[in-house]
Amino acid sequence: MAEICLTGKTVLITGASAGIGWATALAFAARNANIVVTARREERLRELCDKIKASRIKAIYYAGDAAEETTAKSCVDLAVKEFGKLDILINNAGAGNYKNLVDTSAEEYDALMDSNMKSSFLFTRHAAPSMIAQKSGEILFISSVAGLQGYAGEAVYCASKFAQIGFAQALDGELRKHGVKVGTICPGGVKTEFALGKGRTEESVRASYMMEPAEVAEAIVFACMQPPNARILQLTVRHMGEPGR
């Protein structure tokens, strides 16, 4: 059975100013999808949209904090107003903070949960009604292998990523009857600015075996190209440098 064609599909990607989000926008654009991107850094979003539009693909952006409800609602409204519908939501916005529990403040806990989980809730909450009405759509959460297994020194980060997976699993049962697919992508280490200064350094990232953002982006696109009667609930993507067993 043939893969789904993404030409003309409208894709909303959060956290698109760098890393996986940036690469995912380019990967969908390469399949002729309409692109809507959001993040806090407007100049980066403008650069990304200009790059996409240079290939004669439609791309728009909305700058804002993904953990604020006004941002989520405005992005969904913009997608529907500009392109008539929203087909795919990629909940990619997130942050990392690799600290032992006793070194983690309540403020850091709130910030990490807002960035990783609250943003996922808000964008999904505002995208779902449109998808339910059109009886189709796909919602993907970019979680992590840290959402599948706990790691020392990453307790709060793991909690936020486990939360995304539980949220997605529940929504799969809730939204599938409306023709909406829900799933999670769980990458291992990726070479991005993610968590720099909060447990990672530029040197450690460069010297690592971690994946390039574009490699993860291809897995995200793959999940969205499944036939209508097939869905990917959870996909783990890891690099080839993992220790042997």
Side-chain angles (χ1 to χ4, degrees):
M1 187 175 291
E3 296 176 329
I4 292 298
C5 176
L6 295 175
T7 297
K9 297 285 187 181
T10 300
V11 185
L12 169 56
I13 304 162
T14 71
S17 61
I20 293 174
W22 178 287
T24 299
L26 295 178
F28 275 108
R31 273 79 173 187
N32 301 311
N34 301 319
I35 307 299
V36 184
V37 288
T38 184
R40 285 175 290 187
R41 293 180 289 181
E42 184 171 1
E43 70 284 356
R44 289 284 292 167
L45 294 175
R46 186 182 301 112
E47 179 184 349
L48 174 59
C49 286
D50 287 346
K51 183 178 181 69
I52 292 171
K53 287 187 287 189
S55 299
R56 298 188 178 182
I57 301 298
K58 296 177 181 177
I60 55 176
Y61 70 85
Y62 182 93
D65 186 342
E68 293 183 359
E69 188 164 18
T70 54
T71 301
K73 185 177 186 306
S74 296
C75 285
V76 172
D77 289 348
L78 179 63
V80 174
K81 179 181 178 181
E82 185 73 18
F83 300 117
K85 58 179 181 173
L86 175 59
D87 299 296
I88 300 169
L89 169 64
I90 308 297
N91 283 303
N92 170 71
N97 196 346
Y98 302 156
K99 284 187 175 183
N100 290 331
L101 174 66
V102 296
D103 298 318
T104 304
S105 67
E107 291 76 16
E108 288 172 321
Y109 171 89
D110 286 341
L112 207 56
M113 293 301 291
D114 282 355
S115 180
N116 295 351
M117 185 57 224
K118 186 180 179 183
S119 66
S120 296
F121 162 75
L122 290 172
F123 273 81
T124 303
R125 169 63 184 84
H126 287 284
S130 175
M131 293 182 176
I132 290 171
Q134 67 195 25
K135 300 186 183 304
S136 67
E138 179 138 10
I139 300 170
L140 283 184
F141 298 84
I142 311 308
S143 183
S144 168
V145 293
L148 303 172
Q149 175 183 337
Y151 293 91
E154 301 179 26
V156 176
Y157 177 66
C158 289
S160 69
K161 290 302 182 178
F162 267 81
Q164 281 184 312
I165 290 176
F167 186 59
Q169 288 177 352
L171 288 179
D172 169 64
E174 185 175 326
L175 297 179
R176 191 166 70 253
K177 62 187 177 184
H178 299 290
V180 180
K181 301 179 183 182
V182 182
T184 57
I185 307 294
C186 299
V190 184
K191 291 185 176 182
T192 71
E193 60 187 38
F194 173 82
L196 289 181
K198 297 180 179 179
R200 288 183 182 174
T201 65
E202 291 182 3
E203 292 76 15
S204 68
V205 169
R206 278 197 302 269
S208 74
Y209 284 101
M210 290 192 289
M211 294 175 287
E212 297 293 339
E215 294 171 320
V216 179
E218 288 301 316
I220 293 169
V221 169
F222 169 78
C224 295
M225 294 180 70
Q226 298 307 298
N229 196 41
R231 72 196 199 279
I232 290 179
L233 292 174
Q234 185 174 292
L235 179 63
T236 303
V237 188
R238 307 204 72 152
H239 58 74
M240 292 293 286
E242 297 289 332
R245 294 185 181 181

